[in-house]
């Protein structure tokens, strides 16, 4: 069987099933970052992301933006756990014929994001490659009480999303601000039952919360904020790399949140969590409800 027939998520499930974990691992594969025992009141978070020329960016893409994206996408995963990013290692594949200025610009982009979010760049690896590859691994930390997983969504929770959805391929996927300050505000002031960042799509990533939490959901077309760059609503909810947060919390907490949200970043209440056997449905502007598949970007 070919990998593309198995699918990205079945492949990851296979890996996950075959792995035995020590008692120091609180959460291994299956969330935005691994969660590891650390101190009496903090966990370590550990995540990695890889960018490939021709897939995530192109020869003509600004090197500085590509570098910034490589670190920002990792910071977005730490934010989605409720944590603070701390230390990164950077592995690079470069072609020998490449102008060294490209590498300088790429690192400038990484440094800019690292400075902004107080991340220390502490190492990496360099190899020759016929395409440019960037892989960053990032360690973060989170107070045990503030950890937000994908797997703890509760029935009747309100579902929220930050920012606007869709069309990120135009520009935003290379130039976005990870929602770190928003995520930290949320976990410090509210009981966030579940959280994820959008890398695959609004539908697919809310789908990950539903699967890990064993729940269903109803979402409302009229509440979902579509970016002006999106083609239309139906593609916006299936577009990848929004790097916004989806999170859920109790209705009571949700009302308070809507009253005190202090950021310019848009906040939208898009639906609610329900029992798993109700499935996943979208309520159209017309009021019609239809079952919906948690589809989005997959690598193969
Ligand atoms: P995200 O989009 O949040 O970065 P992914 O969809 O890339 O998450 O990954 C989902 C989960 O699968 C994560 O827990 C990640 O660590 C794990 N994972 C992905 N690829 C691999 C792999 N090759 N080996 C082990 N775990 C993997
Ligand atoms: Mg993620």
């Amino acid at each position: 069987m070919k990998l593309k027939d198995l699918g990205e998520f079945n492949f990851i499930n296979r890996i996950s099933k075959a792995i035995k974990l020590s008692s120091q691992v609180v959460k291994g594969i299956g969330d935005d970052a691994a969660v590891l025992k650390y101190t009496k009141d903090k966990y370590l978070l550990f995540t990695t992301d890889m960018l490939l020329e021709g897939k995530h960016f192109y020869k003509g893409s600004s090197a500085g933006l590509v570098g910034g994206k490589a670190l920002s996408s990792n910071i977005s995963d730490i934010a989605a756990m409720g944590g603070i990013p701390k230390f990164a290692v950077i592995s690079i594949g470069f072609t020998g014929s490449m102008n060294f200025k490209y590498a300088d610009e790429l690192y400038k982009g990484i440094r800019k994001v690292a400075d902004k979010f107080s991340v220390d760049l502490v190492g990496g690896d360099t190899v020759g490659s016929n395409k440019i590859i960037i892989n960053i691994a990032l360690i973060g930390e989170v107070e045990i009480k503030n950890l937000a997983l994908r797997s703890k969504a509760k029935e009747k929770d309100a579902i929220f999303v930050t920012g606007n959805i869709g069309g990120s391929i135009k520009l935003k996927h290379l130039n976005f601000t990870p929602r770190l300050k928003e995520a930290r505000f949320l976990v410090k002031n509210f009981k966030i039952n579940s959280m994820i960042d959008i890398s695959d799509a609004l539908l697919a990533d809310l789908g990950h919360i539903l699967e890990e939490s064993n729940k269903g959901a109803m979402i409302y077309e009229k509440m979902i904020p579509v970016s002006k760059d999106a083609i239309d609503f139906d593609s916006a909810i299936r577009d990848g790399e929004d790097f916004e947060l989806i999170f859920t919390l109790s209705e009571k907490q949700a009302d308070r949140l809507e009253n005190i949200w202090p950021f310019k970043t848009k906040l939208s209440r898009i639906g609610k969590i329900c029992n798993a056997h109700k499935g996943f449905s979208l309520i159209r502007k017309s009021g019609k409800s239809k079952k919906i598949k948690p589809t989005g970007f997959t690598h193969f």
Side-chain angles (χ1 to χ4, degrees):
M1 194 198 247
K2 290 182 183 150
L3 267 176
K4 67 174 188 213
D5 299 324
L6 185 64
E8 181 189 346
F9 295 111
N10 289 327
F11 166 70
I12 294 171
N13 278 341
R14 266 174 81 87
I15 298 177
S16 178
K17 278 196 193 121
I19 287 174
K20 283 207 175 66
L21 296 169
S22 79
S23 61
Q24 277 169 293
V25 180
V26 178
K27 176 77 198 173
I29 292 173
D31 216 305
D32 293 292
V35 183
L36 312 167
K37 284 189 187 159
Y38 182 35
T39 64
K40 194 164 62 49
D41 48 10
K42 281 182 184 168
Y43 287 135
L44 269 187
L45 300 170
F46 193 16
T47 188
T48 187
D49 249 325
M50 179 151 62
L51 300 184
L52 200 58
E53 178 194 334
K55 203 92 198 204
H56 301 91
F57 63 94
Y58 299 92
K59 270 220 161 63
S61 307
S62 143
L65 289 183
V66 171
K69 173 181 180 171
L71 184 54
S72 294
S73 63
N74 279 288
I75 294 173
S76 181
D77 278 324
I78 296 293
M81 307 301 291
I84 304 163
K86 299 294 282 187
F87 307 108
V89 290
I90 307 161
S91 297
I92 300 275
F94 279 150
T95 59
S97 61
M98 207 177 76
N99 191 317
F100 72 88
K101 280 201 176 132
Y102 187 96
D104 278 355
E105 284 303 312
L106 189 112
Y107 267 81
K108 224 194 240 174
I110 298 175
R111 281 204 312 272
K112 198 170 148 196
V113 174
D115 287 349
K116 180 167 176 190
F117 292 98
S118 307
V119 171
D120 288 313
L121 307 175
V122 294
D125 195 20
T126 309
V127 297
S129 157
N130 47 23
K131 282 203 168 156
I132 302 168
I133 306 172
I134 306 163
N135 172 247
I136 297 186
L138 178 62
I139 286 182
E141 58 182 40
V142 63
E143 305 81 3
I144 289 175
K145 62 178 167 42
N146 289 338
L147 176 70
L149 296 170
R150 295 177 178 180
S151 57
K152 300 273 163 90
K154 309 252 178 316
E155 228 178 300
K156 296 193 183 148
D157 270 6
I159 305 169
F160 283 87
V161 68
T162 60
N164 291 316
I165 297 307
S168 105
I169 189 72
K170 265 201 179 161
L171 185 70
K172 190 183 175 192
H173 79 110
L174 270 183
N175 196 2
F176 64 93
T177 305
R179 301 302 189 195
L180 185 66
K181 66 176 190 304
E182 291 84 353
R184 288 294 294 167
F185 169 81
L186 287 167
V187 296
K188 284 202 267 180
N189 293 287
F190 296 88
K191 170 93 186 57
I192 301 302
N193 287 337
S194 67
M195 184 148 67
I196 190 169
D197 69 324
I198 303 183
S199 50
D200 298 335
L202 174 74
L203 287 187
D205 288 310
L206 178 54
H208 291 315
I209 287 185
L210 302 182
E211 194 187 330
E212 293 285 327
S213 302
N214 191 26
K215 293 284 179 289
M218 287 163 61
I219 55 172
Y220 294 83
E221 178 177 4
K222 65 171 187 234
M223 316 292 274
I224 296 174
V226 174
S227 160
K228 63 178 180 358
D229 291 336
I231 295 169
D232 56 21
F233 174 80
D234 283 61
S235 57
I237 56 177
R238 293 174 179 84
D239 283 348
E241 302 210 315
D242 286 317
F243 296 107
E244 297 295 345
L245 297 170
I246 304 171
F247 59 92
T248 79
L249 72 179
S250 75
E251 283 177 304
K252 209 170 149 192
Q253 296 252 315
D255 295 340
R256 183 164 69 88
L257 171 63
E258 286 184 307
N259 282 327
I260 69 161
W261 182 250
F263 304 108
K264 275 201 206 124
T265 307
K266 191 187 271 184
L267 180 71
S268 309
R269 189 170 180 163
I270 62 165
K272 60 181 175 202
I273 297 290
C274 51
N275 194 288
H277 72 246
K278 293 210 169 140
F280 188 8
S281 39
L282 171 69
I283 320 298
R284 289 285 183 186
K285 281 184 178 156
S286 65
K288 270 199 187 135
S289 164
K290 71 161 197 176
K291 288 274 174 288
I292 194 156
K293 286 207 173 81
T295 43
F297 178 80
T298 55
H299 289 278
F300 37 73

